[in-house]
Amino acid sequence: MTRSHDADLRLLLVHAHPDDETINNGATMARYVDQGAHVTLVTCTAGEEGEVLVPSLEHLAAEADDALGPHRVTELASAMAILGVTDHRFLGGPGRYRDSGMMGTPANDRPECFWRADLTEAATYLVEVIREVRPQVLVTYDEFGGYGHPDHSQAHRVATYGAALAAVPSYRADLGPAWDVPKVYWSAMPRSYVARGIEKMKEAGTDFFGVESVDDLPFVVPDDAVSAVVDGHAVVERKLDAMRAHATQIAVDGPFFALSNHIGLEAWSDEFYRLARGVQGPVDPSTGWETDLFAGVA
């Protein structure tokens, strides 16, 4: 990325729970904020069903006080303040959809969970945001939701359908003028990058969630499926601080930070993307990847 300031850039990210945005795209968000872009985050649930990794806060869990959601909202606000993102919203407003939990759990059966949301209704909430913000770039998950969480898969569906509906002038004209998002990306992890990280951690005498082989990870994609990489080395410390803000979900002494400790900050600096819609712009000839998500549209 070569631009130093561009207030006309508008990036929209659609995520399932607080902390997903920072893990997947924290460096990207901070980097574009620093360039003067308008970055909007839409979070689909408050993450009520998440694990609680802080012993003193275990009472917040869904099976106890069921008060984790409001706490995670405050964690999200803190993380966004660190990254510099001032426009963060919940799909349909705070509390509209509840965390669905992992697939096959009782939380999937709650009528208010996001997994059970009416797709047109949920997508229409996003249409309103898209037409207001008019982003050139939208970022979300792939069709599998990265690792198969039902809310991630649903976020993918909502983002995909919402972008399609937003471009149709006759669809809910009361929500504002139609907007056709030029580029849609899915977060991605290239196989070679992940394999190299796993091997480096093995050499250091540790592992990452017990993973033995890159083939054990469902979210890994072939290198030639990747379209873009954002270099976040200049902002990686802010990303790590934002991850720490999600304290109930990410343990400072856990595998996420072990990754940084054992193979260096590059583990969290580079963020990769697959172009799902639009035309790839100029690329780095050495990789065939864009280095700017706005390449070709701004």
PDB file of all heavy atoms in Angstrom, residues 10-12 126 129-131 133-139 159-160 162-164 166-167 178-185 277-279 297:
ATOM      1  N   ARG A  10     -13.351   3.412   1.838  1.00  0.00           N
ATOM      2  CA  ARG A  10     -14.353   2.944   2.800  1.00  0.00           C
ATOM      3  C   ARG A  10     -14.338   1.420   2.830  1.00  0.00           C
ATOM      4  O   ARG A  10     -14.592   0.765   1.821  1.00  0.00           O
ATOM      5  CB  ARG A  10     -15.734   3.480   2.424  1.00  0.00           C
ATOM      6  CG  ARG A  10     -15.799   5.008   2.421  1.00  0.00           C
ATOM      7  CD  ARG A  10     -17.152   5.539   1.992  1.00  0.00           C
ATOM      8  NE  ARG A  10     -17.519   5.112   0.650  1.00  0.00           N
ATOM      9  CZ  ARG A  10     -17.094   5.674  -0.487  1.00  0.00           C
ATOM     10  NH1 ARG A  10     -16.237   6.686  -0.424  1.00  0.00           N
ATOM     11  NH2 ARG A  10     -17.491   5.227  -1.667  1.00  0.00           N
ATOM     12  N   LEU A  11     -14.047   0.892   4.000  1.00  0.00           N
ATOM     13  CA  LEU A  11     -13.914  -0.545   4.210  1.00  0.00           C
ATOM     14  C   LEU A  11     -14.981  -1.000   5.188  1.00  0.00           C
ATOM     15  O   LEU A  11     -15.142  -0.415   6.268  1.00  0.00           O
ATOM     16  CB  LEU A  11     -12.525  -0.853   4.779  1.00  0.00           C
ATOM     17  CG  LEU A  11     -12.251  -2.278   5.270  1.00  0.00           C
ATOM     18  CD1 LEU A  11     -12.312  -3.268   4.115  1.00  0.00           C
ATOM     19  CD2 LEU A  11     -10.900  -2.344   5.980  1.00  0.00           C
ATOM     20  N   LEU A  12     -15.703  -2.070   4.825  1.00  0.00           N
ATOM     21  CA  LEU A  12     -16.733  -2.645   5.685  1.00  0.00           C
ATOM     22  C   LEU A  12     -16.355  -4.090   6.000  1.00  0.00           C
ATOM     23  O   LEU A  12     -16.049  -4.871   5.090  1.00  0.00           O
ATOM     24  CB  LEU A  12     -18.102  -2.599   4.993  1.00  0.00           C
ATOM     25  CG  LEU A  12     -19.257  -3.336   5.679  1.00  0.00           C
ATOM     26  CD1 LEU A  12     -19.568  -2.723   7.038  1.00  0.00           C
ATOM     27  CD2 LEU A  12     -20.498  -3.330   4.783  1.00  0.00           C
ATOM     28  N   LEU A 126     -28.116  -5.426   6.885  1.00  0.00           N
ATOM     29  CA  LEU A 126     -26.811  -5.095   6.324  1.00  0.00           C
ATOM     30  C   LEU A 126     -26.939  -4.199   5.103  1.00  0.00           C
ATOM     31  O   LEU A 126     -26.087  -3.331   4.876  1.00  0.00           O
ATOM     32  CB  LEU A 126     -26.047  -6.366   5.968  1.00  0.00           C
ATOM     33  CG  LEU A 126     -24.584  -6.154   5.565  1.00  0.00           C
ATOM     34  CD1 LEU A 126     -23.777  -5.542   6.714  1.00  0.00           C
ATOM     35  CD2 LEU A 126     -23.948  -7.462   5.112  1.00  0.00           C
ATOM     36  N   VAL A 129     -26.752  -0.675   6.115  1.00  0.00           N
ATOM     37  CA  VAL A 129     -25.393  -0.228   6.414  1.00  0.00           C
ATOM     38  C   VAL A 129     -24.601  -0.008   5.120  1.00  0.00           C
ATOM     39  O   VAL A 129     -23.916   1.004   4.956  1.00  0.00           O
ATOM     40  CB  VAL A 129     -24.672  -1.246   7.312  1.00  0.00           C
ATOM     41  CG1 VAL A 129     -23.225  -0.802   7.567  1.00  0.00           C
ATOM     42  CG2 VAL A 129     -25.411  -1.423   8.630  1.00  0.00           C
ATOM     43  N   ILE A 130     -24.704  -0.955   4.205  1.00  0.00           N
ATOM     44  CA  ILE A 130     -23.959  -0.843   2.946  1.00  0.00           C
ATOM     45  C   ILE A 130     -24.359   0.418   2.191  1.00  0.00           C
ATOM     46  O   ILE A 130     -23.495   1.152   1.674  1.00  0.00           O
ATOM     47  CB  ILE A 130     -24.187  -2.095   2.072  1.00  0.00           C
ATOM     48  CG1 ILE A 130     -23.517  -3.320   2.700  1.00  0.00           C
ATOM     49  CG2 ILE A 130     -23.656  -1.868   0.651  1.00  0.00           C
ATOM     50  CD1 ILE A 130     -23.847  -4.624   2.008  1.00  0.00           C
ATOM     51  N   ARG A 131     -25.637   0.690   2.124  1.00  0.00           N
ATOM     52  CA  ARG A 131     -26.085   1.869   1.374  1.00  0.00           C
ATOM     53  C   ARG A 131     -25.720   3.166   2.075  1.00  0.00           C
ATOM     54  O   ARG A 131     -25.538   4.195   1.421  1.00  0.00           O
ATOM     55  CB  ARG A 131     -27.590   1.773   1.134  1.00  0.00           C
ATOM     56  CG  ARG A 131     -27.951   0.689   0.128  1.00  0.00           C
ATOM     57  CD  ARG A 131     -29.429   0.641  -0.143  1.00  0.00           C
ATOM     58  NE  ARG A 131     -29.726  -0.319  -1.212  1.00  0.00           N
ATOM     59  CZ  ARG A 131     -30.960  -0.594  -1.642  1.00  0.00           C
ATOM     60  NH1 ARG A 131     -32.003   0.025  -1.096  1.00  0.00           N
ATOM     61  NH2 ARG A 131     -31.143  -1.468  -2.613  1.00  0.00           N
ATOM     62  N   VAL A 133     -22.870   3.486   4.154  1.00  0.00           N
ATOM     63  CA  VAL A 133     -21.414   3.605   4.149  1.00  0.00           C
ATOM     64  C   VAL A 133     -20.846   3.639   2.735  1.00  0.00           C
ATOM     65  O   VAL A 133     -19.857   4.314   2.463  1.00  0.00           O
ATOM     66  CB  VAL A 133     -20.791   2.438   4.954  1.00  0.00           C
ATOM     67  CG1 VAL A 133     -19.270   2.450   4.855  1.00  0.00           C
ATOM     68  CG2 VAL A 133     -21.235   2.501   6.408  1.00  0.00           C
ATOM     69  N   ARG A 134     -21.459   2.888   1.803  1.00  0.00           N
ATOM     70  CA  ARG A 134     -21.032   2.800   0.412  1.00  0.00           C
ATOM     71  C   ARG A 134     -19.560   2.365   0.302  1.00  0.00           C
ATOM     72  O   ARG A 134     -18.720   3.049  -0.296  1.00  0.00           O
ATOM     73  CB  ARG A 134     -21.280   4.131  -0.311  1.00  0.00           C
ATOM     74  CG  ARG A 134     -22.739   4.571  -0.269  1.00  0.00           C
ATOM     75  CD  ARG A 134     -22.967   5.956  -0.813  1.00  0.00           C
ATOM     76  NE  ARG A 134     -22.948   5.992  -2.271  1.00  0.00           N
ATOM     77  CZ  ARG A 134     -23.967   5.629  -3.051  1.00  0.00           C
ATOM     78  NH1 ARG A 134     -25.086   5.165  -2.521  1.00  0.00           N
ATOM     79  NH2 ARG A 134     -23.863   5.715  -4.365  1.00  0.00           N
ATOM     80  N   PRO A 135     -19.244   1.203   0.871  1.00  0.00           N
ATOM     81  CA  PRO A 135     -17.851   0.745   0.864  1.00  0.00           C
ATOM     82  C   PRO A 135     -17.385   0.307  -0.516  1.00  0.00           C
ATOM     83  O   PRO A 135     -18.160  -0.254  -1.296  1.00  0.00           O
ATOM     84  CB  PRO A 135     -17.886  -0.450   1.819  1.00  0.00           C
ATOM     85  CG  PRO A 135     -19.277  -0.996   1.651  1.00  0.00           C
ATOM     86  CD  PRO A 135     -20.148   0.222   1.484  1.00  0.00           C
ATOM     87  N   GLN A 136     -16.122   0.539  -0.804  1.00  0.00           N
ATOM     88  CA  GLN A 136     -15.532  -0.040  -2.014  1.00  0.00           C
ATOM     89  C   GLN A 136     -15.105  -1.484  -1.769  1.00  0.00           C
ATOM     90  O   GLN A 136     -14.982  -2.271  -2.703  1.00  0.00           O
ATOM     91  CB  GLN A 136     -14.308   0.759  -2.474  1.00  0.00           C
ATOM     92  CG  GLN A 136     -14.604   2.180  -2.891  1.00  0.00           C
ATOM     93  CD  GLN A 136     -14.208   3.162  -1.803  1.00  0.00           C
ATOM     94  OE1 GLN A 136     -14.105   2.801  -0.623  1.00  0.00           O
ATOM     95  NE2 GLN A 136     -13.982   4.416  -2.185  1.00  0.00           N
ATOM     96  N   VAL A 137     -14.866  -1.825  -0.490  1.00  0.00           N
ATOM     97  CA  VAL A 137     -14.390  -3.161  -0.137  1.00  0.00           C
ATOM     98  C   VAL A 137     -15.187  -3.695   1.046  1.00  0.00           C
ATOM     99  O   VAL A 137     -15.392  -2.985   2.038  1.00  0.00           O
ATOM    100  CB  VAL A 137     -12.889  -3.142   0.216  1.00  0.00           C
ATOM    101  CG1 VAL A 137     -12.434  -4.502   0.744  1.00  0.00           C
ATOM    102  CG2 VAL A 137     -12.055  -2.728  -0.991  1.00  0.00           C
ATOM    103  N   LEU A 138     -15.626  -4.940   0.926  1.00  0.00           N
ATOM    104  CA  LEU A 138     -16.298  -5.646   2.020  1.00  0.00           C
ATOM    105  C   LEU A 138     -15.492  -6.904   2.332  1.00  0.00           C
ATOM    106  O   LEU A 138     -15.100  -7.639   1.433  1.00  0.00           O
ATOM    107  CB  LEU A 138     -17.736  -6.015   1.627  1.00  0.00           C
ATOM    108  CG  LEU A 138     -18.630  -6.642   2.694  1.00  0.00           C
ATOM    109  CD1 LEU A 138     -20.109  -6.376   2.373  1.00  0.00           C
ATOM    110  CD2 LEU A 138     -18.432  -8.154   2.842  1.00  0.00           C
ATOM    111  N   VAL A 139     -15.267  -7.150   3.615  1.00  0.00           N
ATOM    112  CA  VAL A 139     -14.509  -8.314   4.066  1.00  0.00           C
ATOM    113  C   VAL A 139     -15.367  -9.171   4.976  1.00  0.00           C
ATOM    114  O   VAL A 139     -16.029  -8.647   5.887  1.00  0.00           O
ATOM    115  CB  VAL A 139     -13.227  -7.885   4.819  1.00  0.00           C
ATOM    116  CG1 VAL A 139     -12.578  -9.073   5.523  1.00  0.00           C
ATOM    117  CG2 VAL A 139     -12.236  -7.224   3.868  1.00  0.00           C
ATOM    118  N   ALA A 159     -23.531 -11.486   4.574  1.00  0.00           N
ATOM    119  CA  ALA A 159     -22.698 -10.531   3.845  1.00  0.00           C
ATOM    120  C   ALA A 159     -22.873 -10.688   2.338  1.00  0.00           C
ATOM    121  O   ALA A 159     -22.967  -9.699   1.598  1.00  0.00           O
ATOM    122  CB  ALA A 159     -21.237 -10.700   4.233  1.00  0.00           C
ATOM    123  N   THR A 160     -22.922 -11.935   1.871  1.00  0.00           N
ATOM    124  CA  THR A 160     -23.046 -12.207   0.438  1.00  0.00           C
ATOM    125  C   THR A 160     -24.397 -11.751  -0.083  1.00  0.00           C
ATOM    126  O   THR A 160     -24.489 -11.065  -1.120  1.00  0.00           O
ATOM    127  CB  THR A 160     -22.850 -13.705   0.163  1.00  0.00           C
ATOM    128  OG1 THR A 160     -21.553 -14.108   0.644  1.00  0.00           O
ATOM    129  CG2 THR A 160     -22.947 -14.017  -1.314  1.00  0.00           C
ATOM    130  N   GLY A 162     -26.537  -9.728   1.463  1.00  0.00           N
ATOM    131  CA  GLY A 162     -26.714  -8.298   1.705  1.00  0.00           C
ATOM    132  C   GLY A 162     -26.060  -7.455   0.631  1.00  0.00           C
ATOM    133  O   GLY A 162     -26.635  -6.460   0.166  1.00  0.00           O
ATOM    134  N   ALA A 163     -24.851  -7.845   0.201  1.00  0.00           N
ATOM    135  CA  ALA A 163     -24.167  -7.103  -0.858  1.00  0.00           C
ATOM    136  C   ALA A 163     -24.952  -7.189  -2.161  1.00  0.00           C
ATOM    137  O   ALA A 163     -25.029  -6.205  -2.918  1.00  0.00           O
ATOM    138  CB  ALA A 163     -22.755  -7.644  -1.038  1.00  0.00           C
ATOM    139  N   ALA A 164     -25.524  -8.360  -2.448  1.00  0.00           N
ATOM    140  CA  ALA A 164     -26.311  -8.521  -3.684  1.00  0.00           C
ATOM    141  C   ALA A 164     -27.576  -7.674  -3.638  1.00  0.00           C
ATOM    142  O   ALA A 164     -27.907  -6.974  -4.611  1.00  0.00           O
ATOM    143  CB  ALA A 164     -26.660  -9.991  -3.882  1.00  0.00           C
ATOM    144  N   ALA A 166     -28.163  -4.996  -1.841  1.00  0.00           N
ATOM    145  CA  ALA A 166     -27.850  -3.563  -1.783  1.00  0.00           C
ATOM    146  C   ALA A 166     -27.650  -2.968  -3.161  1.00  0.00           C
ATOM    147  O   ALA A 166     -27.852  -1.759  -3.363  1.00  0.00           O
ATOM    148  CB  ALA A 166     -26.602  -3.333  -0.934  1.00  0.00           C
ATOM    149  N   ALA A 167     -27.283  -3.799  -4.138  1.00  0.00           N
ATOM    150  CA  ALA A 167     -27.000  -3.313  -5.498  1.00  0.00           C
ATOM    151  C   ALA A 167     -28.251  -3.211  -6.363  1.00  0.00           C
ATOM    152  O   ALA A 167     -28.183  -2.684  -7.483  1.00  0.00           O
ATOM    153  CB  ALA A 167     -25.994  -4.246  -6.176  1.00  0.00           C
ATOM    154  N   ALA A 178     -29.177   2.544  -4.165  1.00  0.00           N
ATOM    155  CA  ALA A 178     -28.472   1.280  -4.351  1.00  0.00           C
ATOM    156  C   ALA A 178     -26.961   1.505  -4.379  1.00  0.00           C
ATOM    157  O   ALA A 178     -26.473   2.550  -4.808  1.00  0.00           O
ATOM    158  CB  ALA A 178     -28.934   0.612  -5.641  1.00  0.00           C
ATOM    159  N   TRP A 179     -26.224   0.487  -3.908  1.00  0.00           N
ATOM    160  CA  TRP A 179     -24.763   0.543  -3.945  1.00  0.00           C
ATOM    161  C   TRP A 179     -24.231  -0.845  -4.258  1.00  0.00           C
ATOM    162  O   TRP A 179     -24.519  -1.812  -3.547  1.00  0.00           O
ATOM    163  CB  TRP A 179     -24.192   1.020  -2.617  1.00  0.00           C
ATOM    164  CG  TRP A 179     -22.685   1.063  -2.615  1.00  0.00           C
ATOM    165  CD1 TRP A 179     -21.830   0.190  -2.004  1.00  0.00           C
ATOM    166  CD2 TRP A 179     -21.852   2.021  -3.282  1.00  0.00           C
ATOM    167  NE1 TRP A 179     -20.516   0.541  -2.232  1.00  0.00           N
ATOM    168  CE2 TRP A 179     -20.504   1.667  -3.022  1.00  0.00           C
ATOM    169  CE3 TRP A 179     -22.122   3.146  -4.074  1.00  0.00           C
ATOM    170  CZ2 TRP A 179     -19.427   2.388  -3.530  1.00  0.00           C
ATOM    171  CZ3 TRP A 179     -21.046   3.866  -4.580  1.00  0.00           C
ATOM    172  CH2 TRP A 179     -19.719   3.499  -4.308  1.00  0.00           C
ATOM    173  N   ASP A 180     -23.451  -0.940  -5.321  1.00  0.00           N
ATOM    174  CA  ASP A 180     -22.839  -2.195  -5.737  1.00  0.00           C
ATOM    175  C   ASP A 180     -21.400  -2.218  -5.226  1.00  0.00           C
ATOM    176  O   ASP A 180     -20.552  -1.478  -5.728  1.00  0.00           O
ATOM    177  CB  ASP A 180     -22.878  -2.308  -7.262  1.00  0.00           C
ATOM    178  CG  ASP A 180     -22.497  -3.686  -7.763  1.00  0.00           C
ATOM    179  OD1 ASP A 180     -22.231  -4.572  -6.927  1.00  0.00           O
ATOM    180  OD2 ASP A 180     -22.463  -3.873  -8.994  1.00  0.00           O
ATOM    181  N   VAL A 181     -21.121  -3.031  -4.218  1.00  0.00           N
ATOM    182  CA  VAL A 181     -19.780  -3.088  -3.628  1.00  0.00           C
ATOM    183  C   VAL A 181     -18.802  -3.614  -4.676  1.00  0.00           C
ATOM    184  O   VAL A 181     -18.955  -4.731  -5.164  1.00  0.00           O
ATOM    185  CB  VAL A 181     -19.757  -4.007  -2.392  1.00  0.00           C
ATOM    186  CG1 VAL A 181     -18.355  -4.032  -1.784  1.00  0.00           C
ATOM    187  CG2 VAL A 181     -20.788  -3.552  -1.359  1.00  0.00           C
ATOM    188  N   PRO A 182     -17.783  -2.832  -5.048  1.00  0.00           N
ATOM    189  CA  PRO A 182     -16.879  -3.262  -6.117  1.00  0.00           C
ATOM    190  C   PRO A 182     -16.079  -4.525  -5.817  1.00  0.00           C
ATOM    191  O   PRO A 182     -15.860  -5.350  -6.692  1.00  0.00           O
ATOM    192  CB  PRO A 182     -15.940  -2.061  -6.296  1.00  0.00           C
ATOM    193  CG  PRO A 182     -16.708  -0.892  -5.767  1.00  0.00           C
ATOM    194  CD  PRO A 182     -17.518  -1.437  -4.636  1.00  0.00           C
ATOM    195  N   LYS A 183     -15.627  -4.673  -4.550  1.00  0.00           N
ATOM    196  CA  LYS A 183     -14.785  -5.822  -4.218  1.00  0.00           C
ATOM    197  C   LYS A 183     -15.226  -6.455  -2.898  1.00  0.00           C
ATOM    198  O   LYS A 183     -15.410  -5.747  -1.896  1.00  0.00           O
ATOM    199  CB  LYS A 183     -13.311  -5.412  -4.123  1.00  0.00           C
ATOM    200  CG  LYS A 183     -12.731  -4.865  -5.427  1.00  0.00           C
ATOM    201  CD  LYS A 183     -11.295  -4.420  -5.278  1.00  0.00           C
ATOM    202  CE  LYS A 183     -10.322  -5.566  -5.419  1.00  0.00           C
ATOM    203  NZ  LYS A 183      -8.902  -5.085  -5.438  1.00  0.00           N
ATOM    204  N   VAL A 184     -15.375  -7.775  -2.914  1.00  0.00           N
ATOM    205  CA  VAL A 184     -15.680  -8.546  -1.712  1.00  0.00           C
ATOM    206  C   VAL A 184     -14.556  -9.548  -1.505  1.00  0.00           C
ATOM    207  O   VAL A 184     -14.196 -10.295  -2.421  1.00  0.00           O
ATOM    208  CB  VAL A 184     -17.032  -9.282  -1.826  1.00  0.00           C
ATOM    209  CG1 VAL A 184     -17.273 -10.148  -0.592  1.00  0.00           C
ATOM    210  CG2 VAL A 184     -18.174  -8.283  -2.016  1.00  0.00           C
ATOM    211  N   TYR A 185     -14.000  -9.558  -0.301  1.00  0.00           N
ATOM    212  CA  TYR A 185     -12.918 -10.485   0.038  1.00  0.00           C
ATOM    213  C   TYR A 185     -13.350 -11.422   1.164  1.00  0.00           C
ATOM    214  O   TYR A 185     -14.129 -11.039   2.046  1.00  0.00           O
ATOM    215  CB  TYR A 185     -11.680  -9.723   0.525  1.00  0.00           C
ATOM    216  CG  TYR A 185     -10.916  -8.979  -0.529  1.00  0.00           C
ATOM    217  CD1 TYR A 185     -11.161  -7.627  -0.753  1.00  0.00           C
ATOM    218  CD2 TYR A 185      -9.912  -9.603  -1.272  1.00  0.00           C
ATOM    219  CE1 TYR A 185     -10.439  -6.924  -1.707  1.00  0.00           C
ATOM    220  CE2 TYR A 185      -9.188  -8.897  -2.228  1.00  0.00           C
ATOM    221  CZ  TYR A 185      -9.453  -7.572  -2.437  1.00  0.00           C
ATOM    222  OH  TYR A 185      -8.733  -6.870  -3.378  1.00  0.00           O
ATOM    223  N   ARG A 277     -15.410 -11.376  -5.147  1.00  0.00           N
ATOM    224  CA  ARG A 277     -16.203 -10.608  -6.101  1.00  0.00           C
ATOM    225  C   ARG A 277     -15.408  -9.383  -6.515  1.00  0.00           C
ATOM    226  O   ARG A 277     -14.781  -8.734  -5.676  1.00  0.00           O
ATOM    227  CB  ARG A 277     -17.527 -10.176  -5.464  1.00  0.00           C
ATOM    228  CG  ARG A 277     -18.424  -9.358  -6.358  1.00  0.00           C
ATOM    229  CD  ARG A 277     -19.687  -8.956  -5.624  1.00  0.00           C
ATOM    230  NE  ARG A 277     -20.567  -8.168  -6.457  1.00  0.00           N
ATOM    231  CZ  ARG A 277     -21.676  -7.573  -6.018  1.00  0.00           C
ATOM    232  NH1 ARG A 277     -22.036  -7.702  -4.761  1.00  0.00           N
ATOM    233  NH2 ARG A 277     -22.428  -6.863  -6.828  1.00  0.00           N
ATOM    234  N   GLY A 278     -15.411  -9.083  -7.803  1.00  0.00           N
ATOM    235  CA  GLY A 278     -14.681  -7.934  -8.308  1.00  0.00           C
ATOM    236  C   GLY A 278     -13.479  -8.367  -9.126  1.00  0.00           C
ATOM    237  O   GLY A 278     -13.263  -9.551  -9.390  1.00  0.00           O
ATOM    238  N   VAL A 279     -12.696  -7.395  -9.528  1.00  0.00           N
ATOM    239  CA  VAL A 279     -11.549  -7.627 -10.403  1.00  0.00           C
ATOM    240  C   VAL A 279     -10.264  -7.352  -9.630  1.00  0.00           C
ATOM    241  O   VAL A 279     -10.121  -6.297  -8.995  1.00  0.00           O
ATOM    242  CB  VAL A 279     -11.617  -6.726 -11.653  1.00  0.00           C
ATOM    243  CG1 VAL A 279     -10.396  -6.939 -12.533  1.00  0.00           C
ATOM    244  CG2 VAL A 279     -12.903  -7.000 -12.432  1.00  0.00           C
ATOM    245  N   VAL A 297      -9.754  -0.004  -7.593  1.00  0.00           N
ATOM    246  CA  VAL A 297     -11.057   0.661  -7.391  1.00  0.00           C
ATOM    247  C   VAL A 297     -10.922   2.037  -6.775  1.00  0.00           C
ATOM    248  O   VAL A 297     -11.907   2.745  -6.608  1.00  0.00           O
ATOM    249  CB  VAL A 297     -12.017  -0.200  -6.539  1.00  0.00           C
ATOM    250  CG1 VAL A 297     -12.345  -1.502  -7.218  1.00  0.00           C
ATOM    251  CG2 VAL A 297     -11.454  -0.426  -5.132  1.00  0.00           C
TER     252      VAL A 297
END
